Amino acid sequence: MNGHILSFEPQEIEAILLQWGEKKYRINQLLDWIYKKYCLSFDDMLNLPITLRERLKESFDFTLPQVDIRLKSKDSSEKYSLKLSDENFIEIVFMSNNKKNTLCISSQVGCARNCQFCATAKIGLIRNLKVEEIVAQLLIAQKFNPENRITNIVFMGMGEPLDNYDNVVKAIRIIQAELGFAFSPRRMTISTCGVVPAINKLADSDIKIKLAVSLNSAISAKRSELMPINQKYSLDELKAALIEFRKKTSYRISFEYIMIKNFNMSDSDVKALIKFAGDISCKINLIKWNNVPGLPWLSPSDEDVEAFTKKLMVISAAITLRQSRGEDIAAACGQLAAQRLPKQEKDNKEK
Ligand code: SF4
């Protein structure tokens, strides 16, 4: 057995099949089934000879996570809970908006970063996802939404993608490869809590991808309260890494700022945010906090959100007020894993 078919880059699959003596057009047919037709089984690749299908079955694993729960929000976003082969669960969210169909994918089962607003954090880190488990999320979501071609991918689901650097990078290579899903780097974003050494590594690599940073406060003590990573990598270190990333990749940075009532929306918060982001070529996505069961943070009123947004307008950065999607199905920002929380949290504590 060579391994899982989705763990190989298309050119690696090509090299193996050329060694088998297969013709180039046959290999292209196989790659087409997987990456263009989203086929989930060798048996369904009907234009391949049966002998080749049998050999593929003997040589490559093609087991996929099972869709355990599929929930549709009243705003039409969809959340899938996927059961992995070791019975762990991850979640993905599919959001359709005008001409943009965005898939929010996971990179880990749980997460070690312990951000205080995040339901996934309560599970703790169980394990990194394998390359094939990351790629499979795209395959499965597209298979279930044949009418809506996925146009954008964000690593913003469960887990800190830069803590699973090697597997996430290989998955990105497969998703962007011309013979793979052929996704444009401009339509893919990694969202990080600010793992500075990994941001530097990514900036120095040949990977092309946009970066979003979960900021949530530009006042160090407050950010540390929300996000323990701030005690490890200061705001100054984070800013320096982002300026370098921008220089080396030419991609504009996005900041995610979850607005929390009575916490990060005062005049001093605005002032600190303007000071931090005002001289970076960036976009600021403001997100209204969604109440999450078991977490103490409160959702601001629409008036508070409007006032905060207005005060920020002096900044040259593009500011967007992002609608959090899928609140009713616990698919909105910070909510992933909220419904699984009691079981996975308990299982993890017992380990
Ligand atoms: S917000 Fe992201 S990095 Fe922070 S704990 Fe949740 S999944 Fe991990």
Side-chain angles (χ1 to χ4, degrees), residues 110-115 117-118 120-121 157-160 193 214 227:
C111 183
R113 292 298 174 178
N114 203 20
C115 302
F117 52 83
C118 174
T120 305
M158 293 169 71
E160 164 54 59
C193 62
S214 184
M227 305 178 71

Side-chain angles (χ1 to χ4, degrees), residues 226-287:
L226 270 186
M227 305 178 71
I229 193 163
N230 194 64
Q231 287 156 27
K232 194 156 188 192
Y233 307 112
S234 68
L235 281 166
D236 286 347
E237 288 171 292
L238 177 62
K239 184 167 175 173
L242 297 177
I243 290 171
E244 274 306 291
F245 184 91
R246 162 82 179 135
K247 257 195 226 155
K248 286 176 180 160
T249 65
S250 81
Y251 286 146
R252 188 168 64 167
I253 309 289
S254 297
F255 290 112
E256 311 286 324
Y257 195 102
I258 302 175
M259 294 172 289
I260 302 171
K261 183 178 174 174
N262 298 337
F263 183 77
N264 61 359
M265 299 179 71
S266 69
D267 286 351
S268 55
D269 292 302
V270 174
K271 214 169 137 195
L273 181 53
I274 292 171
K275 186 163 176 249
F276 182 83
D279 54 354
I280 305 178
S281 170
C282 68
K283 185 172 154 207
I284 301 175
N285 294 318
L286 300 175
I287 305 147

Side-chain angles (χ1 to χ4, degrees), residues 79-308:
K79 180 170 82 168
Y80 299 79
S81 174
L82 303 182
K83 187 175 172 185
L84 306 175
S85 55
D86 61 358
E87 311 246 308
N88 275 307
F89 290 87
I90 53 166
E91 294 182 344
I92 56 177
V93 183
F94 178 82
M95 294 159 284
S96 207
N97 188 0
N98 299 326
K99 288 185 186 141
K100 233 163 100 172
N101 297 314
T102 303
L103 183 67
C104 175
I105 63 182
S106 293
S107 54
Q108 297 181 306
V109 183
C111 183
R113 292 298 174 178
N114 203 20
C115 302
Q116 295 300 298
F117 52 83
C118 174
T120 305
K122 300 294 165 204
I123 300 170
L125 177 64
I126 297 178
R127 69 171 173 85
N128 283 332
L129 291 187
K130 299 174 197 161
V131 175
E132 60 267 29
E133 291 168 332
I134 299 171
V135 176
Q137 296 172 53
L138 171 57
L139 208 62
I140 292 167
Q142 190 62 85
K143 190 76 185 172
F144 275 84
N145 288 279
E147 312 290 305
N148 300 309
R149 195 176 162 76
I150 294 167
T151 57
N152 294 64
I153 294 176
V154 289
F155 282 85
M156 216 178 262
M158 293 169 71
E160 164 54 59
L162 295 182
D163 282 346
N164 185 13
Y165 187 92
D166 290 343
N167 290 348
V168 165
V169 160
K170 184 149 192 198
I172 293 168
R173 288 190 198 285
I174 295 167
I175 294 169
Q176 293 183 352
E178 202 52 50
L179 291 173
F181 293 103
F183 245 84
S184 159
R186 298 210 162 267
R187 294 181 173 273
M188 293 185 72
T189 304
I190 279 187
S191 174
T192 177
C193 62
V195 188
V196 167
I199 293 173
N200 292 333
K201 192 171 167 186
L202 192 64
D204 288 332
S205 76
D206 61 340
I207 288 289
K208 300 267 173 275
I209 192 156
K210 293 197 294 182
L211 195 65
V213 176
S214 184
L215 187 65
N216 307 315
S217 177
I219 297 176
S220 189
K222 281 194 189 184
R223 188 163 191 265
S224 291
E225 198 180 324
L226 270 186
M227 305 178 71
I229 193 163
N230 194 64
Q231 287 156 27
K232 194 156 188 192
Y233 307 112
S234 68
L235 281 166
D236 286 347
E237 288 171 292
L238 177 62
K239 184 167 175 173
L242 297 177
I243 290 171
E244 274 306 291
F245 184 91
R246 162 82 179 135
K247 257 195 226 155
K248 286 176 180 160
T249 65
S250 81
Y251 286 146
R252 188 168 64 167
I253 309 289
S254 297
F255 290 112
E256 311 286 324
Y257 195 102
I258 302 175
M259 294 172 289
I260 302 171
K261 183 178 174 174
N262 298 337
F263 183 77
N264 61 359
M265 299 179 71
S266 69
D267 286 351
S268 55
D269 292 302
V270 174
K271 214 169 137 195
L273 181 53
I274 292 171
K275 186 163 176 249
F276 182 83
D279 54 354
I280 305 178
S281 170
C282 68
K283 185 172 154 207
I284 301 175
N285 294 318
L286 300 175
I287 305 147
K288 188 175 164 182
W289 168 249
N290 296 296
N291 291 327
V292 172
L295 298 182
W297 314 102
L298 297 172
S299 185
S301 67
D302 289 344
E303 293 72 37
D304 289 345
V305 168
E306 201 186 326
F308 184 78

